[in-house]
Amino acid sequence: MLNSMTGFARSETRSDAGFLVWELRSVNHRYLETSFRLPEALRAAEGEFRKQVEAALARGKLDAVLRLETGEAETAGLELDTAVADDLTRAVAAMAERLPTARPPSLGELLKWPGLVRRPSPDPEGLSRDAQTGLAAALEELKAYRAREGARTAEMLESRCQVVEAQVDRARERVPAVLAGLRERYRRRLETLDIEADEQRLEQELALVAQKLDVDEELDRLGSHVAELREAMQRSEPVGRRLDFLMQEFNREANTLASKSQDSEATAAAVEMKVAIEQMREQIQNVE
């Protein structure tokens, strides 16, 4: 089934250091391109994160943002450096002697002193494992989002396939009438020139013209392309590039049909086909 390259996903994973929040946004792109924004504590794990993405997605431009929200965990396990505290106490006392009129610093201000309070460093391996778990969950949600978008695209493509098929039938039905019209125009032309028609020569000329205007091959190929498009939409692997190439073949046959047309109905059918093909091409740009 088709997958879109557009999607959004979010996951939240609890860890010892706080909550790990992934946000993934993807848009269409010729290849797979991923950019990460990570907390400093997890920059070293970017290679592992990238492998996870490459295993899950084939195409698209992905922006992956990971936030470490400490919340209550920020104050859990705080440790006071007593040596720094003793030095700071002596320094504050010395300053109080020198500046007796100065306001003494508050406890909150003292706690901001660099190195006075130590925060426990999270286990890097455990934090990385938790982040990978969260990324896996976010990627599954993203794939589900892209699958839903792909299903809507498939519905649209199927409706346009039906339009192309209807116009192929319309153009095919006009072929006998076009040839009959050519024969009638040739006869009227000969009558205006007051020349007696050589029936054998006239049929030969009509056969040559009919050969040049024959569109059966183009119509057959258009029908074949429709069948190939439907078959590709049922495949499990990414088919975006294949469908993009197929649209070029659709356009080639529709353009040839339009150039050979000698009938307003057939020309209108070719125009309708080209409109439907262009609508399909625009949607296929977003297919993985």
Side-chain angles (χ1 to χ4, degrees):
M1 302 299 291
L2 296 187
N3 287 310
S4 171
M5 286 188 281
T6 300
F8 172 80
R10 184 180 187 276
S11 74
E12 188 174 297
T13 307
R14 190 179 188 89
S15 73
D16 292 339
F19 287 98
L20 292 162
V21 181
W22 280 102
E23 288 188 355
L24 308 181
R25 290 179 175 83
S26 69
V27 295
N28 61 316
H29 196 269
R30 189 174 180 183
Y31 305 107
L32 177 61
E33 180 180 310
T34 307
S35 62
F36 288 96
R37 281 187 287 168
L38 305 171
E40 189 63 37
L42 284 162
R43 290 189 185 280
E46 181 175 333
E48 293 301 319
F49 299 152
R50 195 172 296 278
K51 288 179 184 178
Q52 282 185 267
V53 171
E54 291 172 353
L57 307 176
R59 293 177 66 200
K61 179 177 175 57
L62 177 70
D63 290 323
V65 179
L66 174 59
R67 299 193 309 275
L68 176 56
E69 299 179 351
T70 53
E72 294 179 359
E74 187 175 8
T75 59
L78 294 181
E79 295 179 359
L80 182 68
D81 191 320
T82 56
V84 174
D86 292 341
D87 291 340
L88 186 58
T89 300
R90 287 191 290 270
V92 170
M95 289 300 298
E97 289 181 5
R98 289 177 175 273
L99 301 170
T101 60
R103 180 183 66 82
S106 67
L107 180 59
E109 291 170 334
L110 290 174
L111 287 173
K112 294 178 181 178
W113 189 264
L116 179 61
V117 177
R118 292 197 301 264
R119 292 176 173 82
S121 299
D123 171 29
E125 292 185 1
L127 190 61
S128 176
R129 285 195 298 270
D130 292 338
Q132 289 178 52
T133 299
L135 179 57
L139 285 170
E140 285 302 312
E141 183 180 329
L142 180 65
K143 288 166 63 177
Y145 190 112
R146 287 163 52 128
R148 291 192 296 271
E149 289 293 310
R152 284 191 281 269
T153 299
E155 290 177 2
M156 178 271 178
L157 293 178
E158 173 57 31
S159 69
R160 297 307 182 273
C161 282
Q162 293 174 15
V163 170
V164 172
E165 286 180 319
Q167 299 309 317
V168 165
D169 292 341
R170 178 184 178 188
R172 200 185 297 277
E173 289 172 358
R174 292 298 301 168
V175 171
V178 170
L179 295 178
L182 283 173
R183 180 178 283 103
E184 183 61 26
R185 285 200 297 272
Y186 272 44
R187 289 188 180 279
R188 287 201 301 268
R189 179 63 174 166
L190 290 173
E191 289 174 0
T192 59
L193 295 175
D194 196 21
I195 299 175
E196 184 177 354
D198 183 334
E199 291 296 329
Q200 184 177 357
R201 181 63 183 275
L202 177 60
E203 292 301 323
Q204 289 175 348
E205 290 296 325
L206 285 171
L208 290 173
V209 173
Q211 186 176 5
K212 291 180 181 180
L213 300 181
D214 180 36
V215 293
D216 281 345
E217 189 174 348
E218 286 76 15
L219 295 175
D220 288 342
R221 280 200 290 261
L222 282 166
S224 176
H225 294 337
V226 168
E228 186 175 356
L229 174 57
R230 284 175 171 151
E231 186 274 332
M233 287 195 293
Q234 299 303 315
R235 296 188 179 189
S236 57
E237 73 268 17
V239 293
R241 291 195 183 97
R242 183 182 185 88
L243 296 185
D244 191 43
F245 174 76
L246 191 56
M247 287 303 103
Q248 298 176 36
E249 298 301 307
F250 265 104
N251 263 320
R252 182 177 294 111
E253 303 305 335
N255 287 333
T256 303
L257 180 64
S259 66
K260 287 185 175 183
S261 175
Q262 295 292 316
D263 175 71
S264 59
E265 281 288 317
T267 300
V271 171
E272 290 296 326
M273 283 185 209
K274 293 175 71 173
V275 171
I277 292 166
E278 179 60 22
Q279 290 171 339
M280 288 193 289
R281 190 193 66 80
E282 291 176 356
Q283 292 296 316
I284 284 171
Q285 299 306 305
N286 201 38
V287 173
E288 185 179 24

